[in-house]
Amino acid sequence: MFKKVLRLQVLVSISGAFKQQNTIISRAMSNICANSGTSDLSHPRWEAMWSEGINPGDRFDARQISPLLKKYIEEDKIPFGRALVPGCGRGYDVTALSHERRYVLGLDISTTALAAARSRLESLSPSECANKNNAIFSSESFFDLDTSHEENKFDFIYDYTFLCALDPSVREDWANKMAALLRPGTGELLTLIYPIMEMEGGPPFKVSMQLFEELLLPRNFECLELRMLPPELCHPGRDGTDPSRVAFTAVGRWRMKSST
């Protein structure tokens, strides 16, 4: 009888140890996914939303480029060379930036969004897109872009509602990747910082000018411009006037310092 009780105690102890070990492993794997951003970056929500149908002007589709980007393009403030637009959606920014001297890569993990972007590109006239051949769309993940060779670096990156769409757990990864993608000394990052508001949860997750400073300045970026935008340079409703979501927009321009 004593041996049976002892054996049962040993089995219970071993079972408990295995359960504890499995719990630890499970938690570790969850942390790895959270830290790498895998669960968020491959989240099916984006494809599901696009598959349900997003018409121009619906949800996060703003129907046109921001007045701020339009102004900077007209004032020749956007560097030529290789440009990147992560989370490009229907591709308004990609086609506006495309130029005979500027190659633009638009990324989106939703294949439906990319199909809409390519369809829209084909419908544009020469006056609406300066160089269709230099407007390229891809489903490759922003975080998987190759940065091992200098020729893969970008001269300009435009982030407008890309960071706010990512889970806050991957913001450090976002900043590290931005630093790796930009050409040192000349590469510029233009960020339209939205939504600036008081809210919990997301996406979109609330952001701030201070957040971008905390992410970029320690990574060898210098700040060229950082300010709140007046209503005339914001998309309608993104200037704090939308009663359903009182949110504001700011602009940040950053340049990668020389590595030497």
Side-chain angles (χ1 to χ4, degrees):
M1 182 66 180
F2 175 75
K3 289 182 179 180
K4 289 183 178 180
V5 172
L6 180 61
R7 182 179 299 172
L8 180 60
Q9 289 177 335
V10 170
L11 289 175
V12 169
S13 177
I14 292 173
S15 176
F18 272 118
K19 286 181 179 179
Q20 184 178 18
Q21 184 181 34
N22 287 338
T23 299
I24 292 172
I25 292 173
S26 178
R27 287 175 179 171
M29 291 303 293
S30 296
N31 289 337
I32 290 171
C33 287
N35 290 334
S36 66
T38 301
S39 58
D40 183 71
L41 297 176
S42 60
H43 202 290
R45 71 165 72 93
W46 306 112
E47 176 58 28
M49 283 191 286
W50 277 97
S51 295
E52 288 171 5
I54 296 180
N55 294 318
D58 288 350
R59 299 190 183 185
F60 44 78
D61 185 301
R63 196 190 297 267
Q64 59 188 349
I65 67 171
S66 77
L68 185 280
L69 181 61
K70 183 175 184 293
K71 181 175 185 290
Y72 280 7
I73 291 174
E74 291 173 348
E75 294 176 352
D76 289 328
K77 288 187 176 181
I78 307 298
F80 291 119
R82 285 170 49 84
L84 174 68
V85 181
C88 67
R90 197 169 256 107
Y92 303 108
D93 304 319
V94 175
T95 55
L97 288 165
S98 179
H99 187 277
E100 62 179 6
R101 297 174 57 193
R102 187 185 300 116
Y103 162 94
V104 190
L105 175 62
L107 302 178
D108 207 292
I109 61 172
S110 167
T111 55
T112 303
L114 293 178
R118 293 183 179 116
S119 175
R120 177 180 167 275
L121 172 65
E122 290 304 313
S123 70
L124 297 179
S125 66
S127 63
E128 294 172 306
C129 181
N131 193 311
K132 288 187 179 182
N133 292 332
N134 280 351
I136 308 298
F137 297 100
S138 171
S139 61
E140 185 174 4
S141 169
F142 166 80
F143 293 90
D144 291 337
L145 290 176
D146 181 19
T147 59
S148 59
H149 302 289
E150 185 64 25
E151 60 266 25
N152 293 335
K153 304 283 187 178
F154 289 90
D155 301 284
F156 177 73
I157 302 179
Y158 182 53
D159 184 313
Y160 182 26
T161 69
F162 179 60
L163 178 62
C164 75
L166 301 176
D167 189 90
S169 65
V170 301
R171 285 175 173 172
E172 297 287 332
D173 297 323
W174 170 91
N176 288 333
K177 193 66 178 182
M178 284 294 184
L181 286 169
L182 277 169
R183 201 179 305 282
T186 58
E188 288 190 18
L189 168 64
L190 178 62
T191 57
L192 285 197
I193 303 168
Y194 174 87
I196 299 175
M197 64 184 300
E198 290 301 323
M199 72 172 185
E200 298 301 324
F205 297 92
K206 65 180 179 181
V207 290
S208 67
M209 292 188 288
Q210 180 182 351
L211 170 65
F212 279 78
E213 286 183 301
E214 292 172 349
L215 289 172
L216 297 174
L217 293 181
R219 292 173 170 82
N220 210 32
F221 281 88
E222 61 175 321
C223 182
L224 304 177
E225 180 181 9
L226 187 62
R227 61 186 173 95
M228 297 296 296
L229 285 181
E232 63 269 20
L233 292 181
C234 299
H235 272 125
R238 297 186 180 184
D239 56 357
T241 60
D242 183 353
S244 65
R245 175 181 288 172
V246 181
F248 298 86
T249 307
V251 60
R253 287 179 62 214
W254 320 82
R255 180 183 294 143
M256 277 297 295
K257 298 178 183 178
S258 177
S259 57
T260 57

